[in-house]
Amino acid sequence: MEDEELLSFEEIGIKSWLIRQCRGMGVNRPTLVQSKCIPAALKGCDVIGCSKTGSGKTLAFAIPILQALSEDPYGIFSLILTPTRELAVQISDQFRAVGKPLNLRDCVVVGGRDMVMQGKDPSKKPHIVIATPGRLADHLQSCDTFSLKKIKFLVLDEADRLVDGGFDGQLKTIFSSLPPTEQRQTFYYSATLSDSLQKIKELSVSKGREPFVWQSCGDDQKSDIATVKGLDQRYVLTPSDAKDAYLAQVVRQHYDSEDGEKDLTIIFTRTCKLCQLLAMTLTSLGYPSSALHSMMAQKERALSLAKFRSSQVKILVATDLASRGLDIPDVQLVLNHNVPHVTKDYIHRVGRTARAGNQGRAITIVTQYDIETL
Ligand code: AMP
């Protein structure tokens, strides 16, 4: 997936059952972030990993956790925190696939589901709990049916998003329910960590124990661009009043071309309302589209995403809710209905395509008011 000469899973100390399991999923060699971070994790270090979108960060933390779990299986062994419900489900799928030979028990704790029913799941002692901070903090405050005091691993996935302020209260509650830092390993991963690195270092990691830091997302000399090579990035300059018409024309051109009809497209919008409107407009123009935003009920969110993942609808119109982490290999086109004001958001949005070494295209609609931001 990346140019540098890569080691094999054997060379980085992965057990044969895990290697077999990975090969069964088409994962034959570690990616760069995996070959750098997994050995440090296996040595017992805390890890801060910054690597481009789609470069295999999930397995970079899942593999060492599963290897350690296989040596001493108990529950609750590990807690994974991630900012969105959709990502929590996706991470759980990867753990289940790789951890199958262990009869892995995992539990997803996210908002939008029945709280009482969900409260019983962690008390069944799953090996892995994957949670969004809000719902987990609610559970910890309202019931004492499970304990996180014995976890061996804590992961903050999309770590910069989690520590950038919005989740501070919930993280405080969660951290106070964990064992002290020296009794667990902590892994932080994201494609855009640099601004939050200091905060993470302070928050993190065991006192007096230097974390292993790996950065390959634009801050080092080897890669001065935070997006991947296989990504073709373009923009369309339009008058502000006509941007919807231009966007519809881009969609039409793409889907009416011979190569484009099978492609999956994600269109990012600024607000929930615009997201809903645009999905309806494109559907009425003959391009069936699903919406994904935070004003939808969780069931509708899951259904929308499932339809898109299975190619029943080829177009997903989403807010930034879907900009991080979602791994849908068939997405060939990302369309930005607006220019995001924060560079990080752009990097995450366009990172929904050109994943795992594949090609992809990102097109941003730019109006006269966006030129400066661009
Ligand atoms: P992630 O960055 O974790 O979302 O992973 C992006 C995609 O890369 C997922 O579909 C993974 O299954 C895939 N992937 C992860 N590790 C490897 C690997 N070593 N070789 C090939 N594909 C991988």
Side-chain angles (χ1 to χ4, degrees):
M1 284 165 65
E2 292 170 63
D3 291 340
E4 200 164 301
E5 200 178 307
L6 298 174
L7 299 169
S8 67
F9 278 121
E10 286 85 353
E11 283 168 317
I12 61 168
I14 305 304
K15 299 222 159 127
S16 52
W17 72 268
L18 259 171
I19 299 178
R20 267 198 308 280
Q21 205 55 24
C22 286
R23 294 219 166 110
M25 298 164 53
V27 171
N28 297 316
R29 282 188 156 271
T31 61
L32 195 54
V33 62
Q34 292 162 1
S35 38
K36 298 290 178 189
C37 295
I38 291 176
L42 293 178
K43 268 193 229 147
C45 296
D46 295 322
V47 176
I48 299 177
C50 179
S51 174
K52 291 175 185 178
T53 54
S55 60
K57 291 187 284 291
T58 314
L59 289 183
F61 62 75
I63 288 175
I65 291 176
L66 288 169
Q67 179 143 314
L69 178 71
S70 71
E71 286 157 12
D72 181 16
Y74 69 86
I76 298 173
F77 189 75
S78 175
L79 171 65
I80 323 289
L81 295 174
T82 192
T84 70
R85 302 165 188 179
E86 285 73 15
L87 281 181
V89 173
Q90 184 176 290
I91 292 169
S92 143
D93 288 343
Q94 290 225 26
F95 266 100
R96 278 183 199 181
V98 188
K100 206 165 177 198
L102 297 179
N103 289 326
L104 185 79
R105 292 191 308 273
D106 74 296
C107 154
V108 173
V109 179
V110 294
R113 294 188 185 166
D114 183 273
M115 186 137 168
V116 177
M117 290 300 290
Q118 199 179 55
K120 293 183 183 148
D121 295 342
S123 55
K124 293 180 193 149
K125 299 239 166 115
H127 300 118
I128 314 277
V129 172
I130 303 142
T132 49
R135 182 51 70 95
L136 182 65
D138 284 350
H139 277 298
L140 290 168
Q141 279 167 333
S142 64
C143 67
D144 58 359
T145 51
F146 66 97
S147 162
L148 298 170
K149 281 284 178 216
K150 294 209 170 110
I151 63 156
K152 283 274 186 272
F153 293 92
L154 168 70
V155 179
L156 271 75
D157 176 50
E158 305 295 340
D160 54 325
R161 173 77 186 86
L162 290 177
V163 304
D164 72 3
F167 293 105
D168 279 359
Q170 291 120 338
L171 287 183
K172 205 168 160 208
T173 307
I174 295 168
F175 278 33
S176 67
S177 308
L178 302 180
T181 49
E182 55 284 3
Q183 287 172 26
R184 59 173 156 88
Q185 277 176 260
T186 310
F187 301 154
Y188 293 82
Y189 281 94
S190 180
T192 47
L193 270 183
S194 26
D195 296 347
S196 319
L197 207 58
Q198 198 44 43
K199 185 159 180 195
I200 284 174
K201 278 189 174 163
E202 282 160 19
L203 232 186
S204 56
V205 275
S206 316
K207 307 279 170 272
R209 202 168 73 185
E210 265 302 295
F212 173 81
V213 183
W214 164 250
Q215 287 198 72
S216 168
C217 48
D219 302 318
D220 62 357
Q221 309 81 341
K222 287 184 209 108
S223 64
D224 52 358
I225 305 169
T227 50
V228 292
K229 254 198 219 146
L231 179 69
D232 172 21
Q233 302 178 71
R234 303 177 179 217
Y235 66 86
V236 175
L237 186 61
T238 83
S240 161
D241 293 344
K243 76 193 257 190
D244 291 355
Y246 274 76
L247 181 114
Q249 179 59 19
V250 172
V251 169
R252 173 172 295 156
Q253 254 175 353
H254 189 81
Y255 280 96
D256 291 356
S257 75
E258 220 173 281
D259 300 337
E261 57 190 331
K262 288 193 240 73
D263 290 357
L264 296 186
T265 297
I266 302 184
I267 302 175
F268 283 104
T269 61
R270 198 172 47 81
T271 64
C272 301
K273 192 172 163 193
L274 265 173
C275 173
Q276 195 67 45
L277 258 173
L278 214 52
M280 286 158 67
T281 309
L282 288 171
T283 303
S284 69
L285 288 173
Y287 300 96
S289 307
S290 287
L292 183 67
H293 57 76
S294 60
M295 300 287 280
M296 289 162 68
Q298 185 53 30
K299 261 196 185 155
E300 291 172 21
R301 273 164 69 164
L303 185 67
S304 219
L305 195 58
K307 276 192 187 162
F308 183 62
R309 271 191 198 279
S310 60
S311 285
Q312 282 180 60
V313 291
K314 301 270 190 286
I315 302 174
L316 182 73
V317 188
T319 57
D320 279 302
L321 175 73
S323 68
R324 280 180 182 254
L326 280 187
D327 181 46
I328 305 173
D330 295 330
V331 175
Q332 279 84 12
L333 177 64
V334 168
L335 258 169
N336 284 313
H337 183 250
N338 68 307
V339 181
H341 283 277
V342 183
T343 322
K344 266 189 193 185
D345 291 345
Y346 177 84
I347 290 168
H348 285 284
R349 284 180 176 194
V350 300
R352 295 318 99 217
T353 185
R355 297 180 67 74
N358 294 321
Q359 305 287 313
R361 174 173 288 180
I363 302 176
T364 302
I365 304 289
V366 176
T367 71
Q368 66 271 34
Y369 305 117
D370 302 315
I371 290 170
E372 199 134 318
T373 319
L374 182 75

